[in-house]
Amino acid sequence: GYPNVGKSSLINSLKRSRACGVGATPGVTRCLQAVQLDRHIQLLDCPGVVMETGTPPAAAAPLRGALDPQRLRDPLGPAAAILRRCPPEQVGGG
C-alpha cells in the first residue's frame, strides 16, 4: 500500500498490542516484518510502495505521502501541484 495509510496501525489494532512501530511521518517501517496474529494467521507489515507513474519521481513522491514534508527541499512544487488539481472555487477564501 501507499506510505502512511495505516498498514502498521491496522496490524497493531488486530493484534491488540504494539507489534509494529508507527509514526506520523513516512519511513517508520523500513523492512518486511511478519506478525503472528493467531495460530493460523500471519500478517506481513512492509514499507509503503509508490508505483511508477508518468510523473517524475521528485514531483510524485511528495504528493503520495512517500516523503516527510519536513524534508522537502522545495515545498512550493508539491503545493502548486495540489492546487492545480483543485477547482478554483474550492481554493478561494470566499
Side-chain angles (χ1 to χ4, degrees):
Y2 287 120
N4 265 44
V5 295
K7 296 179 296 293
S8 300
S9 295
L10 176 63
I11 291 172
N12 286 344
S13 181
L14 292 170
K15 181 77 175 167
R16 295 188 179 166
S17 68
R18 188 162 193 253
C20 304
V22 297
T25 57
V28 174
T29 304
R30 298 197 178 272
C31 60
L32 189 69
Q33 176 182 353
V35 177
Q36 198 71 38
L37 191 59
D38 65 20
R39 254 182 24 183
H40 304 288
I41 299 174
Q42 186 177 52
L43 302 173
L44 296 177
D45 189 25
C46 66
V49 177
V50 178
M51 300 303 237
E52 180 65 35
T53 64
T55 310
L63 296 178
R64 295 178 185 240
L67 294 176
D68 179 358
Q70 305 301 324
R71 297 180 65 195
L72 290 175
R73 288 190 185 136
D74 176 27
L76 295 180
I82 291 169
L83 291 174
R84 281 193 299 273
R85 295 176 182 199
C86 297
E89 59 273 4
Q90 287 184 344
V91 179

